[in-house]
Amino acid sequence: MKLQRKNRLRASALGALVVSGALVLTACGSDDNTKTDAGGNTTKASAPAPGDVKCDGAKGKLLASGSSAQKNAVDLWVKNYMAACSGVEVNYKSSSSGEGIVAFNQGTVGFAGSDSALKAEAVEESKKVCTGGQGIDLPMVGGPIALGFNVAGVDKLNLDATTIANIFNDKIKKWDDEAIKKLNPGVTLPSTAIQAFHRSEDSGTTENLGKYLKAAAPEAWTYEAAKKWPAPGGQAASGSAGVASQVKAVDGAIGYFELSYASSQNIKTVDINTGAAAPVKASSESASKAIAAAKIAGTGSDLALKLDYTTKADGAYPIVLVTYEVVCDKGNKAETLPTVKSFLNYTASDAGQKVLSDNGYAPIPTEIITKVREAINSLS
């Protein structure tokens, strides 16, 4: 999971997907693909070369919904895809993983984006809409979950898993707490109150942060990883974009979101002390190093991954997520299947994955993305 790019990137609302509420991604948007990272460097997303996008009978409108973590990547993918495939419209409603899975299992979207693999009950429910088949997880986007902070006078901040846990469970309340000072020798930390922001809705990003804290600081973080925020205290905001906006606006704030949100809004991010030779900065490269060690935990065409949140490898950033595209392996609707396969084949292609590395996300490792392509081609 190396991922990012969202000023924009990241509730559990039920009901049918309302098209008028969906984010309609069209080729009529701004042509400016230039992105600015947290260090002030600019990059420009590379459009696919002719032939990179194979429309393969795609037509009409494709609705999709889910994870805001991948929003910035999907924005670029859709723009490139629709420029190549005339007459096709792809609408991705960026909300949350929880809402995406609800929409998928209601049969209102062709695929859903989720920051965590389907639970057994969701797979069982998917069989109602995947006639003769079931929902499967296809890892498509990787990246770090950045901890963005806004503390006046502090430009660089190191934290470890236990300290992060105690900040988010409301036990550490001031920025000049001794535990934080110990990890940041020579840094003048103010007595400003900590304002910790978390997601208000069910979120795969929340679940992945919980997996990291539970694995790396089990004594401090006693909650089970779940999409719903479990700890007391803190303040809630909607979506990754909402959390990022609050962090940017509030002195003393800290929150979690995909790196692309931090990069696009010039929000400073925490370096993680994992026990490696040096604290690790959130980046596409450091997330990729962690994701490369992931193991496939799914069976058959389901490619759910198991990540190592306790890595101490030099340069490996431990708080990573992988965003999955959730699709029916069999029983897809005939009118949308060609577009689903065509669009996902582009996102999984070399050109599609390059969009990730160009924009702060982490491409899926070659040995895994090869299996993803095989699974896409087998959809029926």
Side-chain angles (χ1 to χ4, degrees):
M1 313 188 225
K2 310 151 188 175
L3 321 140
Q4 312 71 1
R5 177 107 1 225
K6 323 171 176 228
N7 72 320
R8 346 185 189 126
L9 305 178
R10 283 208 204 316
S12 48
L14 300 176
L17 179 66
V18 181
V19 176
S20 63
L23 174 62
V24 179
L25 303 174
T26 71
C28 301
S30 168
D31 288 330
D32 184 8
N33 280 354
T34 300
K35 308 292 178 181
T36 304
D37 64 20
N41 301 308
T42 58
T43 58
K44 191 172 183 64
S46 52
D52 284 338
V53 178
K54 296 179 173 57
C55 302
D56 291 335
K59 59 183 178 180
K61 181 181 293 185
L62 173 63
L63 299 181
S65 177
S67 165
S68 63
Q70 64 175 11
K71 178 193 180 299
N72 291 338
V74 175
D75 282 358
L76 294 168
W77 280 337
V78 169
K79 182 176 180 179
N80 291 343
Y81 180 78
M82 288 174 57
C85 298
S86 177
V88 180
E89 184 178 300
V90 180
N91 297 277
Y92 182 77
K93 182 183 178 184
S94 169
S95 50
S96 69
S97 299
E99 184 173 272
I101 298 305
V102 167
F104 178 76
N105 281 337
Q106 290 176 339
T108 60
V109 295
F111 71 89
S114 178
D115 305 346
S116 56
L118 291 168
K119 298 291 191 294
E121 57 269 24
V123 172
E124 192 61 32
E125 189 177 354
S126 74
K127 294 177 181 179
K128 299 174 184 177
V129 295
C130 302
T131 307
Q134 65 180 47
I136 58 172
D137 304 287
L138 301 179
M140 198 69 72
V141 183
I145 299 173
L147 295 173
F149 70 95
N150 178 5
V151 183
V154 179
D155 294 323
K156 184 176 175 57
L157 185 68
N158 299 326
L159 297 175
D160 61 13
T162 298
T163 307
I164 294 166
N166 285 330
I167 286 172
F168 280 101
N169 67 18
D170 207 31
K171 291 182 178 177
I172 293 179
K173 299 178 182 292
K174 301 280 190 179
W175 280 109
D176 62 352
D177 187 277
E178 286 301 321
I180 301 176
K181 289 168 68 174
K182 184 176 179 180
L183 293 165
N184 294 274
V187 176
T188 301
L189 293 162
S191 60
T192 307
I194 293 174
Q195 307 287 336
F197 287 90
H198 58 262
R199 294 282 289 272
S200 60
E201 75 286 9
D202 285 5
S203 162
T205 311
T206 294
E207 184 172 15
N208 279 280
L209 176 64
K211 288 178 179 177
Y212 162 71
L213 294 174
K214 183 69 173 177
E219 293 183 2
W221 194 258
T222 58
Y223 311 98
E224 294 302 320
K227 289 185 172 68
K228 183 176 181 61
W229 182 255
Q235 302 178 59
S238 178
S240 292
V243 174
S245 294
Q246 290 296 324
V247 171
K248 187 173 179 65
V250 177
D251 184 27
I254 186 170
Y256 59 92
F257 32 79
E258 297 67 42
L259 181 60
S260 61
Y261 288 101
S263 300
S264 63
Q265 298 191 48
N266 291 321
I267 297 172
K268 296 184 286 289
T269 62
V270 172
D271 294 353
I272 307 298
N273 185 332
T274 64
V280 184
K281 184 175 295 295
S283 70
S284 176
E285 294 74 19
S286 63
S288 294
K289 187 165 185 178
I291 294 172
K295 307 297 183 185
I296 294 176
T299 58
S301 55
D302 185 275
L303 299 173
L305 301 178
K306 181 176 178 57
L307 298 165
D308 179 8
Y309 294 101
T310 61
T311 180
K312 292 180 172 57
D314 288 344
Y317 185 82
I319 319 177
V320 293
L321 63 75
V322 168
T323 297
Y324 300 94
E325 311 314 329
V326 176
V327 294
C328 294
D329 58 354
K330 298 176 183 176
N332 288 276
K333 295 178 181 178
E335 62 269 27
T336 56
L337 178 60
T339 308
V340 169
K341 293 179 73 170
S342 170
F343 179 69
L344 293 183
N345 265 320
Y346 164 56
T347 67
S349 70
D350 289 341
Q353 291 291 296
K354 188 174 188 299
V355 167
L356 301 181
S357 56
D358 285 348
N359 291 279
Y361 291 95
I364 302 300
T366 300
E367 61 274 18
I368 298 173
I369 203 68
T370 298
K371 291 181 171 61
V372 170
R373 294 166 186 163
E374 292 170 356
I376 293 168
N377 289 326
S378 71
L379 299 180
S380 63

